[in-house]
Amino acid sequence: MTESIRPSRRTVVTALSAAAVAVALPAWPETAQAATATAGPVLDTHPATEPSGTHVRDVGGTNVVFQYGAVLPAFDGWRTHEPTRDYLSLDRKWRFRFDPAGQGLGEGWQSAHHDDRAWGRIDVPSAWDLLDTPGFGSEDGPFAQGTAFNDGYAWYRTTVDVPGSWRARHVRIAFLAVGYSAEVWLDGRHLGKHEGANSPFALPVAGALRPGTRQTIAVRVFRKASYTDYTASPPQPVTDDHELPYKPVDYWPYAGLTRSAWIEAVPQVTIAKLLAVGANGRLDARAVVENHSATDFDGRLTLDPGRGSGGRPVVVAARIAARSAGVVRVSLPIPRAPRWSPASPHTLTARATLAAGRHAGPRVDTLSTRYGVRELTIADARLRLNNKPLFLKGLNWHEETAAHGRAMTPAEYDRELGQVKAVGANLIRNCVYNRHPYVYDWADEHGVLVMDDIDTMWLNTAQEKLQTERYGLARALALTMAWNQHNHPSVILWGLQNESEIDAAGAPVYRAWLADLKAAVKAVDLTARPVTWASNTSNDPAFDLADVIGFNEYFGYFYGKDADLGPTLDTVHARYPDKPILITENGTWSEAGTHGPATTQGTEEWQAASFTAHWNQVTARSDFVAGFVYWVLKDYKQRCGYNQDHNGISVMGLLTFEEERPKLVHEVFRKAVIPGDR
């Protein structure tokens, strides 16, 4: 085994029952920096606060998320087309050009008149990493070669024929994800900028749209370099205080228009979002209605709770002032609605229909949403679903394949997530970013629970302070996570951060940052899901703020012994006796095909034995430990300065990266029995 494989996760857990073990880690810069040479990597510019203007407003007693001056809409247009709306897919080949010197803006590449005929072409969605990178998925492939290491700016351009019928419509351009940041123009008019590689956004195009003409969409995408030189020893990291994550992390930062995009034309009075809460035999729904017209709307809203619910459609008044947003609330019984659970993942479809006039009048807009009926509570240090104790046998996973990177196809999602079911896991942790909407739908339909995460990984005190007090990108990501995933019954935990640094002097800043993120998700989640995070210590000074205590531990790998886990869990439980504990990460590594004693690091036997030792200590304490989330489903790519001799592939998975071949730990994990299932 080579030393470069071994430090695949950067984390330190302080065992409360034993002396802390020091681990040599890279010295990360405390402030933003790039190369000192003028030809080195560049940093993108940032406004005073995160550019989308994401915030919450109380609208008639319901907290509503706004972005780019409008309600953050539902993003179901990638799969569901409402009959009252028009959709124009942007999934196609676009013109594409790298812009490493950042010259495109000054040369007018955003203009409709720019001649892009000599540009290359790229599929949308896709990651430019896979545009031309030999052997990307192979452990024997050449590291630091190909477009996977093209950083800085790149441009996308396409044209659309805008229907003349859209003159009386509200139109927005929706992107499910662009990594890392995107600026968008329509015929040279700047629509807005978005930061965050994994969260969807929608830009209103009022004022830039010219119905009945052909118009040009231009997108300038930026990805920061991870290092000034990927082959240097040691490599010099490139950091940016404003970005999340702000420094190199050990997963691959795929770049480009990595998920679907489309244009959506909706009525001037439109249902932007339908929030649904199904519990205790009732449906509580909030229809968030926007009125973009110059006249007040006085009509009605019909809510149908869906086939199989036992509930009848209810009609209520809907009055929305001109140029404003309102919330229409409907609560009704659904006496025959089945409860959602992993064993019986029943979902329902609610539909809101907006009509003009108090009585008879034309249909104006519709919006449907899937939801489930379930009750999630915490009592006596146990997570409970529908009043039954819940133990989580979980897997961390990264959203990528060797063939398509983060721009996965539905067939790839089905294959990868099918592996979760195949090994008997009942939870996936979306470490450490939001996933494609397909994933949440899949989890709802297949009865797999979800811990959702945002991109707040490995921050230090300076970044925590900046995010809380000024920039606000972390808060924006927390708000959009809770808003976008609100209706999914599979989502049971909000994850606030991963392994961010804590020191004695910075503890008050760290606590204030987590309190801010917790307040954000609690403000918009009507179901009050528990919050947790993946701490890098079992002695976290903010655990009193968590609903579920979560920490990553690597006893017997980075520090200490496997047997240290049990006493540590006992000590944490003694300090917080009413809170469930969740191991959010644990794992080791093995080189596929390397066999030997279970005491020899790097063998498949050692990896399997380590899992068993940790699993047994956790399940022996299932009366207060809520579960165990293994690191990781599949080997994964990263540019974090180690594993370079394996083409950046970390070999900690149950499966190999490119072939997705199971290792010994795959079968051992599959056979691990959830407490209570014996």
Side-chain angles (χ1 to χ4, degrees):
M1 297 304 99
T2 57
E3 286 293 317
S4 61
I5 299 176
R6 297 174 64 181
S8 296
R9 299 293 294 147
R10 182 176 178 266
T11 179
V12 180
V13 175
T14 303
L16 296 178
S17 58
V21 181
V23 180
L25 300 173
W28 296 106
E30 292 296 317
T31 57
Q33 61 175 287
T36 55
T38 56
V42 298
L43 298 179
D44 196 14
T45 57
H46 300 275
T49 58
E50 66 86 17
S52 72
T54 304
H55 66 283
V56 172
R57 297 183 201 169
D58 183 329
V59 180
T62 298
N63 287 326
V64 175
V65 177
F66 286 78
Q67 197 175 81
Y68 303 106
V71 174
L72 182 62
F75 288 94
D76 293 332
W78 70 276
R79 62 164 174 83
T80 302
H81 288 184
E82 297 291 341
T84 54
R85 304 180 180 193
D86 299 313
Y87 301 84
L88 199 163
S89 175
L90 298 177
D91 290 357
R92 58 177 74 166
K93 286 191 178 293
W94 290 48
R95 294 286 186 179
F96 178 78
R97 182 177 177 181
F98 287 112
D99 183 16
Q103 67 195 54
L105 190 60
E107 294 181 1
W109 294 6
Q110 72 277 22
S111 170
H113 305 294
H114 181 75
D115 185 355
D116 59 14
R117 287 176 293 178
W119 289 25
R121 292 186 180 273
I122 192 170
D123 288 327
V124 172
S126 70
W128 80 50
D129 305 80
L130 279 298
L131 189 63
D132 184 17
T133 300
F136 180 79
S138 170
E139 291 186 29
D140 299 325
F143 190 76
Q145 295 184 24
T147 56
F149 296 87
N150 281 24
D151 300 311
Y153 294 105
W155 287 76
Y156 292 71
R157 287 170 56 93
T158 193
T159 59
V160 293
D161 292 321
V162 182
S165 60
W166 286 10
R167 287 184 176 86
R169 310 284 269 175
H170 174 68
V171 181
R172 54 194 174 225
I173 305 179
F175 297 86
L176 287 183
V178 181
Y180 163 78
S181 66
E183 289 183 84
V184 183
W185 289 263
L186 183 61
D187 274 359
R189 180 160 179 169
H190 190 256
L191 301 181
K193 180 177 181 179
H194 183 264
E195 284 192 43
N198 305 287
S199 57
F201 61 101
L203 296 165
V205 300
L209 195 72
R210 293 187 293 111
T213 68
R214 176 168 293 178
Q215 295 194 259
T216 299
I217 301 172
V219 183
R220 184 173 76 154
V221 180
F222 179 81
R223 174 173 65 183
K224 175 175 55 64
S226 299
Y227 297 95
T228 58
D229 182 345
Y230 289 97
T231 60
S233 182
Q236 175 63 44
V238 179
T239 67
D240 183 336
D241 290 343
H242 294 78
E243 286 198 8
L244 291 175
Y246 87 99
K247 64 185 179 185
V249 291
D250 63 348
Y251 62 87
W252 200 272
Y254 290 97
L257 275 63
T258 55
R259 297 179 189 151
S260 289
W262 67 94
I263 304 177
E264 187 171 358
V266 303
Q268 294 253 340
V269 183
T270 181
I271 307 168
K273 181 77 173 180
L274 181 59
L275 302 171
V277 179
N280 301 310
R282 296 192 67 83
L283 172 61
D284 182 11
R286 320 281 178 97
V288 183
V289 181
E290 283 186 309
N291 183 354
H292 295 278
S293 75
T295 59
D296 295 347
F297 178 82
D298 190 355
R300 63 196 188 281
L301 184 136
T302 302
L303 183 76
D304 186 339
R307 182 180 300 176
S309 68
R312 295 177 177 274
V314 171
V315 182
V316 296
R319 300 181 181 90
I320 313 297
R323 311 253 184 235
S324 69
V327 173
V328 181
R329 180 171 178 175
V330 183
S331 182
L332 70 158
I334 44 175
R336 291 197 297 273
R339 280 178 166 177
W340 185 97
S341 70
S344 300
H346 298 287
T347 59
L348 302 162
T349 299
R351 176 176 292 275
T353 302
L354 195 65
R358 296 284 187 91
H359 303 291
R363 180 179 65 177
V364 174
D365 196 22
T366 65
L367 184 63
S368 62
T369 188
R370 295 177 185 171
Y371 70 101
V373 178
R374 56 115 171 100
E375 293 85 41
L376 183 67
T377 56
I378 293 175
D380 302 321
R382 302 289 295 273
L383 267 175
R384 296 179 183 273
L385 182 65
N386 301 329
N387 299 319
K388 295 180 180 179
L390 184 64
F391 188 89
L392 305 174
K393 178 184 178 182
L395 285 167
N396 289 274
W397 74 295
H398 276 302
E399 186 182 39
E400 62 179 346
T401 63
H404 296 104
R406 193 147 298 148
M408 291 172 60
T409 66
E412 287 175 324
Y413 282 117
D414 289 343
R415 185 181 71 244
E416 301 255 321
L417 294 170
Q419 290 283 358
V420 174
K421 294 284 287 186
V423 295
N426 62 8
L427 175 127
I428 51 174
R429 177 184 168 216
N430 289 340
C431 58
V432 282
Y433 46 86
N434 290 178
R435 300 310 197 255
H436 191 292
Y438 188 94
V439 173
Y440 305 98
D441 288 343
W442 184 95
D444 290 342
E445 295 165 6
H446 290 82
V448 174
L449 303 163
V450 176
M451 173 180 166
D452 215 17
D453 272 20
I454 53 177
D455 310 63
T456 44
M457 180 173 179
W458 291 1
L459 276 70
N460 64 25
T461 301
Q463 284 77 45
E464 294 160 7
K465 185 178 178 66
L466 173 69
Q467 291 296 332
T468 305
E469 297 183 0
R470 184 163 63 84
Y471 202 60
L473 179 57
R475 184 185 310 116
L477 294 176
L479 285 170
T480 56
M481 171 180 67
W483 184 255
N484 291 331
Q485 276 71 266
H486 183 279
N487 295 348
H488 291 284
S490 58
V491 178
I492 63 165
L493 290 167
W494 301 126
L496 302 184
Q497 67 93 4
N498 183 83
E499 295 180 0
S500 292
E501 298 172 18
I502 314 165
D503 54 47
V509 173
Y510 175 77
R511 285 179 57 85
W513 175 54
L514 286 174
D516 185 54
L517 297 182
K518 179 179 178 179
V521 298
K522 293 290 188 180
V524 298
D525 182 9
L526 300 172
T527 73
R529 293 173 177 89
V531 301
T532 188
W533 55 87
S535 182
N536 66 358
T537 174
S538 57
N539 192 22
D540 191 302
F543 272 160
D544 59 298
L545 300 177
D547 300 313
V548 174
I549 290 175
F551 62 90
N552 299 346
E553 59 88 7
Y554 288 90
F555 288 114
Y557 176 13
F558 283 118
Y559 43 77
K561 305 183 299 294
D562 289 330
D564 292 337
L565 175 58
T568 299
L569 290 168
D570 294 337
T571 303
V572 175
H573 176 57
R575 181 170 293 183
Y576 304 99
D578 297 327
K579 294 180 184 287
I581 301 171
L582 178 66
I583 299 301
T584 42
E585 282 183 28
N586 167 261
T588 52
W589 61 279
S590 72
E591 185 94 34
T594 299
H595 295 281
T599 55
T600 300
Q601 284 199 0
T603 64
E604 290 194 30
E605 287 77 7
W606 173 67
Q607 185 184 27
S610 176
F611 161 72
T612 299
H614 289 245
W615 176 261
N616 288 342
Q617 292 173 82
V618 166
T619 55
R621 295 162 173 82
S622 61
D623 54 333
F624 62 85
V625 179
F628 176 97
V629 191
Y630 188 71
W631 186 270
V632 58
L633 171 63
K634 190 180 76 172
D635 294 351
Y636 58 99
K637 290 277 289 189
Q638 43 85 4
R639 312 197 294 182
C640 199
Y642 37 71
N643 297 334
Q644 290 186 8
D645 56 350
H646 283 68
N647 195 22
I649 296 176
S650 176
V651 292
M652 298 184 73
L654 304 180
L655 305 163
T656 60
F657 180 65
E658 187 170 35
E659 304 87 355
E660 300 184 6
R661 179 167 59 86
K663 306 178 193 177
L664 180 60
V665 69
H666 180 276
E667 180 65 8
V668 175
F669 185 94
R670 185 187 69 80
K671 291 181 177 178
V673 179
I674 295 174
D677 286 356
R678 294 178 176 86

Short mmCIF file of all heavy atoms in Angstrom, two decimals, residues 94-97 116-122:
data_model
loop_
_atom_site.label_atom_id
_atom_site.label_comp_id
_atom_site.label_asym_id
_atom_site.label_seq_id
_atom_site.Cartn_x
_atom_site.Cartn_y
_atom_site.Cartn_z
N TRP A 94 -24.76 23.04 -26.48
CA TRP A 94 -24.52 24.48 -26.44
C TRP A 94 -23.15 24.77 -27.06
O TRP A 94 -22.26 23.90 -27.09
CB TRP A 94 -24.50 24.99 -25.00
CG TRP A 94 -25.81 25.01 -24.27
CD1 TRP A 94 -26.72 24.00 -24.19
CD2 TRP A 94 -26.33 26.07 -23.48
NE1 TRP A 94 -27.78 24.37 -23.39
CE2 TRP A 94 -27.56 25.64 -22.94
CE3 TRP A 94 -25.88 27.35 -23.16
CZ2 TRP A 94 -28.33 26.45 -22.10
CZ3 TRP A 94 -26.64 28.16 -22.33
CH2 TRP A 94 -27.87 27.70 -21.81
N ARG A 95 -22.97 25.99 -27.52
CA ARG A 95 -21.64 26.46 -27.87
C ARG A 95 -20.84 26.63 -26.57
O ARG A 95 -21.38 27.04 -25.55
CB ARG A 95 -21.71 27.79 -28.62
CG ARG A 95 -22.37 27.70 -29.99
CD ARG A 95 -21.45 27.03 -30.99
NE ARG A 95 -22.02 27.06 -32.35
CZ ARG A 95 -21.42 26.56 -33.42
NH1 ARG A 95 -20.22 25.99 -33.29
NH2 ARG A 95 -22.00 26.63 -34.60
N PHE A 96 -19.52 26.32 -26.64
CA PHE A 96 -18.73 26.29 -25.41
C PHE A 96 -17.31 26.75 -25.70
O PHE A 96 -16.72 26.40 -26.74
CB PHE A 96 -18.70 24.86 -24.86
CG PHE A 96 -17.87 24.70 -23.61
CD1 PHE A 96 -18.37 25.09 -22.37
CD2 PHE A 96 -16.61 24.15 -23.67
CE1 PHE A 96 -17.61 24.94 -21.23
CE2 PHE A 96 -15.83 23.99 -22.53
CZ PHE A 96 -16.34 24.38 -21.30
N ARG A 97 -16.77 27.52 -24.75
CA ARG A 97 -15.38 27.98 -24.89
C ARG A 97 -14.80 28.26 -23.51
O ARG A 97 -15.41 28.95 -22.70
CB ARG A 97 -15.31 29.23 -25.75
CG ARG A 97 -13.89 29.75 -25.97
CD ARG A 97 -13.85 30.95 -26.90
NE ARG A 97 -12.50 31.47 -27.04
CZ ARG A 97 -12.17 32.53 -27.77
NH1 ARG A 97 -13.12 33.19 -28.44
NH2 ARG A 97 -10.91 32.95 -27.84
N ASP A 116 -19.98 33.17 -32.38
CA ASP A 116 -19.47 32.00 -31.65
C ASP A 116 -19.35 30.77 -32.55
O ASP A 116 -19.24 29.64 -32.05
CB ASP A 116 -20.35 31.69 -30.44
CG ASP A 116 -21.80 31.40 -30.83
OD1 ASP A 116 -22.08 31.17 -32.02
OD2 ASP A 116 -22.66 31.39 -29.92
N ARG A 117 -19.33 30.96 -33.88
CA ARG A 117 -19.33 29.81 -34.78
C ARG A 117 -18.06 28.97 -34.67
O ARG A 117 -18.07 27.78 -34.99
CB ARG A 117 -19.53 30.28 -36.22
CG ARG A 117 -20.95 30.75 -36.53
CD ARG A 117 -21.06 31.30 -37.94
NE ARG A 117 -20.29 32.53 -38.09
CZ ARG A 117 -20.18 33.20 -39.23
NH1 ARG A 117 -20.80 32.74 -40.33
NH2 ARG A 117 -19.47 34.31 -39.29
N ALA A 118 -16.98 29.58 -34.20
CA ALA A 118 -15.72 28.82 -34.06
C ALA A 118 -15.62 28.13 -32.71
O ALA A 118 -14.64 27.41 -32.47
CB ALA A 118 -14.53 29.76 -34.27
N TRP A 119 -16.58 28.34 -31.84
CA TRP A 119 -16.53 27.70 -30.52
C TRP A 119 -16.78 26.20 -30.66
O TRP A 119 -17.35 25.73 -31.65
CB TRP A 119 -17.61 28.30 -29.61
CG TRP A 119 -17.37 29.70 -29.16
CD1 TRP A 119 -16.63 30.66 -29.78
CD2 TRP A 119 -17.91 30.31 -27.99
NE1 TRP A 119 -16.67 31.84 -29.07
CE2 TRP A 119 -17.45 31.65 -27.96
CE3 TRP A 119 -18.74 29.87 -26.96
CZ2 TRP A 119 -17.78 32.54 -26.94
CZ3 TRP A 119 -19.07 30.75 -25.94
CH2 TRP A 119 -18.60 32.06 -25.93
N GLY A 120 -16.40 25.47 -29.62
CA GLY A 120 -16.72 24.06 -29.57
C GLY A 120 -18.16 23.85 -29.12
O GLY A 120 -18.93 24.81 -28.96
N ARG A 121 -18.53 22.60 -28.92
CA ARG A 121 -19.87 22.26 -28.45
C ARG A 121 -19.76 21.35 -27.24
O ARG A 121 -18.81 20.57 -27.10
CB ARG A 121 -20.67 21.58 -29.56
CG ARG A 121 -21.01 22.51 -30.72
CD ARG A 121 -21.94 21.83 -31.73
NE ARG A 121 -22.27 22.69 -32.84
CZ ARG A 121 -23.28 23.55 -32.84
NH1 ARG A 121 -24.07 23.67 -31.78
NH2 ARG A 121 -23.54 24.31 -33.91
N ILE A 122 -20.77 21.46 -26.36
CA ILE A 122 -20.81 20.65 -25.16
C ILE A 122 -22.26 20.31 -24.84
O ILE A 122 -23.17 21.12 -25.10
CB ILE A 122 -20.15 21.39 -23.96
CG1 ILE A 122 -19.92 20.45 -22.78
CG2 ILE A 122 -20.97 22.61 -23.56
CD1 ILE A 122 -19.07 21.07 -21.68
#
